[in-house]
Coordinates of all heavy atoms in Angstrom, one line a residue:
A1 N -0.8 -13.4 -14.9 CA 0.3 -12.7 -15.6 C 0.1 -11.2 -15.5 O 1.1 -10.5 -15.3 CB 0.4 -13.2 -17.0
V2 N -1.1 -10.7 -15.7 CA -1.4 -9.3 -15.7 C -1.1 -8.8 -14.3 O -0.5 -7.7 -14.1 CB -2.8 -9.0 -16.1 CG1 -3.1 -7.5 -16.0 CG2 -3.0 -9.5 -17.6
F3 N -1.6 -9.5 -13.3 CA -1.4 -9.1 -11.9 C 0.1 -9.0 -11.5 O 0.5 -8.1 -10.8 CB -2.2 -10.0 -10.9 CG -3.7 -9.9 -11.0 CD1 -4.5 -10.8 -10.4 CD2 -4.3 -8.8 -11.5 CE1 -5.8 -10.7 -10.3 CE2 -5.7 -8.6 -11.5 CZ -6.4 -9.6 -10.9
A4 N 0.8 -10.0 -12.0 CA 2.2 -10.1 -11.7 C 2.9 -8.9 -12.3 O 3.8 -8.3 -11.7 CB 2.9 -11.4 -12.3
R5 N 2.5 -8.4 -13.5 CA 3.1 -7.3 -14.1 C 2.7 -6.0 -13.4 O 3.5 -5.1 -13.2 CB 2.7 -7.2 -15.6 CG 3.5 -6.1 -16.4 CD 5.0 -6.5 -16.5 NE 5.8 -5.5 -17.1 CZ 6.8 -4.8 -16.5 NH1 7.0 -5.0 -15.2 NH2 7.5 -3.9 -17.1
L6 N 1.5 -5.9 -13.0 CA 1.0 -4.8 -12.2 C 1.9 -4.6 -10.9 O 2.4 -3.5 -10.6 CB -0.4 -4.9 -11.8 CG -1.5 -4.4 -12.7 CD1 -2.9 -4.8 -12.1 CD2 -1.5 -2.9 -12.8
E7 N 2.1 -5.7 -10.2 CA 2.9 -5.7 -9.0 C 4.3 -5.3 -9.3 O 4.9 -4.5 -8.6 CB 2.8 -7.1 -8.3 CG 1.5 -7.4 -7.7 CD 1.5 -8.6 -6.8 OE1 1.8 -9.7 -7.4 OE2 1.2 -8.5 -5.6
S8 N 4.9 -5.9 -10.4 CA 6.3 -5.5 -10.7 C 6.5 -4.1 -11.1 O 7.5 -3.5 -10.9 CB 6.8 -6.5 -11.8 OG 6.2 -6.1 -13.1
L9 N 5.4 -3.5 -11.6 CA 5.5 -2.0 -12.0 C 5.3 -1.2 -10.7 O 5.5 0.1 -10.8 CB 4.4 -1.7 -13.0 CG 4.7 -2.2 -14.4 CD1 3.4 -2.1 -15.3 CD2 5.8 -1.5 -15.1
G10 N 4.8 -1.7 -9.6 CA 4.6 -1.0 -8.4 C 3.3 -0.4 -8.2 O 3.1 0.6 -7.5
Y11 N 2.3 -1.0 -8.9 CA 0.9 -0.5 -8.7 C 0.4 -0.7 -7.3 O 0.4 -1.8 -6.7 CB 0.0 -1.3 -9.7 CG -1.5 -0.8 -9.6 CD1 -1.8 0.5 -10.1 CD2 -2.5 -1.6 -9.1 CE1 -3.1 0.9 -10.1 CE2 -3.8 -1.2 -9.1 CZ -4.1 0.1 -9.6 OH -5.4 0.5 -9.6
G12 N 0.0 0.4 -6.7 CA -0.5 0.4 -5.3 C -2.0 0.7 -5.2 O -2.5 0.8 -4.1
G13 N -2.7 0.8 -6.3 CA -4.1 1.1 -6.3 C -5.0 -0.2 -6.2 O -4.5 -1.3 -5.9
W14 N -6.2 0.0 -6.4 CA -7.2 -1.1 -6.3 C -7.5 -1.7 -7.7 O -7.3 -1.0 -8.7 CB -8.5 -0.5 -5.8 CG -8.5 -0.1 -4.3 CD1 -8.1 1.2 -3.9 CD2 -8.7 -0.9 -3.2 NE1 -8.2 1.2 -2.5 CE2 -8.5 -0.1 -2.0 CE3 -9.1 -2.2 -3.0 CZ2 -8.7 -0.5 -0.8 CZ3 -9.3 -2.7 -1.7 CH2 -9.1 -1.9 -0.6
V15 N -7.9 -2.9 -7.7 CA -8.4 -3.6 -8.8 C -9.9 -3.9 -8.6 O -10.2 -4.8 -7.8 CB -7.6 -4.9 -9.1 CG1 -8.2 -5.7 -10.2 CG2 -6.1 -4.6 -9.3
G16 N -10.7 -3.3 -9.4 CA -12.1 -3.5 -9.3 C -12.6 -4.7 -10.0 O -12.3 -4.9 -11.2
C17 N -13.4 -5.5 -9.3 CA -13.9 -6.8 -9.9 C -15.3 -6.4 -10.4 O -16.3 -6.5 -9.7 CB -14.0 -7.8 -8.8 SG -12.4 -8.2 -8.1
E18 N -15.4 -6.1 -11.7 CA -16.6 -5.6 -12.3 C -17.0 -6.7 -13.3 O -17.1 -6.5 -14.5 CB -16.4 -4.3 -13.0 CG -17.7 -3.6 -13.4 CD -17.5 -2.3 -14.2 OE1 -16.5 -2.2 -14.9 OE2 -18.4 -1.4 -14.1
Y19 N -17.4 -7.9 -12.8 CA -17.8 -9.0 -13.7 C -19.1 -9.5 -13.2 O -19.6 -9.3 -12.0 CB -16.7 -10.1 -13.7 CG -16.5 -10.8 -12.4 CD1 -17.3 -11.8 -11.9 CD2 -15.4 -10.4 -11.5 CE1 -17.1 -12.5 -10.7 CE2 -15.2 -11.0 -10.3 CZ -16.0 -12.1 -9.9 OH -15.8 -12.7 -8.7
R20 N -19.8 -10.2 -14.1 CA -21.1 -10.8 -13.8 C -20.9 -12.3 -13.4 O -20.5 -13.0 -14.3 CB -22.1 -10.7 -14.9 CG -22.5 -9.3 -15.3 CD -23.5 -9.2 -16.4 NE -23.0 -9.7 -17.7 CZ -22.5 -8.9 -18.6 NH1 -22.5 -7.6 -18.5 NH2 -22.0 -9.4 -19.8
P21 N -21.1 -12.7 -12.2 CA -20.9 -14.1 -11.8 C -21.7 -15.0 -12.6 O -22.9 -14.7 -13.0 CB -21.3 -14.1 -10.4 CG -21.2 -12.7 -9.9 CD -21.6 -11.8 -11.0
A22 N -21.1 -16.1 -13.0 CA -21.8 -17.1 -13.8 C -22.8 -17.9 -13.0 O -23.8 -18.4 -13.5 CB -20.8 -18.1 -14.4
G23 N -22.6 -17.9 -11.6 CA -23.6 -18.5 -10.7 C -23.7 -17.6 -9.5 O -23.7 -16.4 -9.6
G24 N -23.6 -18.2 -8.3 CA -23.6 -17.3 -7.1 C -22.3 -16.6 -7.0 O -21.2 -17.2 -7.3
T25 N -22.3 -15.4 -6.4 CA -21.1 -14.6 -6.3 C -20.0 -15.4 -5.5 O -18.9 -15.5 -5.9 CB -21.4 -13.3 -5.7 OG1 -22.3 -12.6 -6.5 CG2 -20.1 -12.5 -5.6
R26 N -20.4 -15.8 -4.3 CA -19.5 -16.4 -3.4 C -18.9 -17.7 -3.9 O -17.8 -18.0 -3.7 CB -20.2 -16.6 -2.0 CG -19.3 -17.0 -0.9 CD -18.3 -15.8 -0.5 NE -17.5 -16.2 0.7 CZ -17.8 -16.0 1.9 NH1 -18.9 -15.3 2.2 NH2 -17.0 -16.3 2.9

């Protein structure tokens, strides 16, 4: 839902994935 609102607002930047994986990243 957040991504959908970003897109509807016209966001053209990056979304940084700054999270700690619960297991292996991939």
Side-chain angles (χ1 to χ4, degrees):
V2 177
F3 288 167
R5 190 66 185 114
L6 271 173
E7 289 189 301
S8 70
L9 288 167
Y11 181 67
W14 292 89
V15 174
C17 300
E18 193 182 32
Y19 64 84
R20 295 186 293 265
T25 302
R26 190 67 177 266

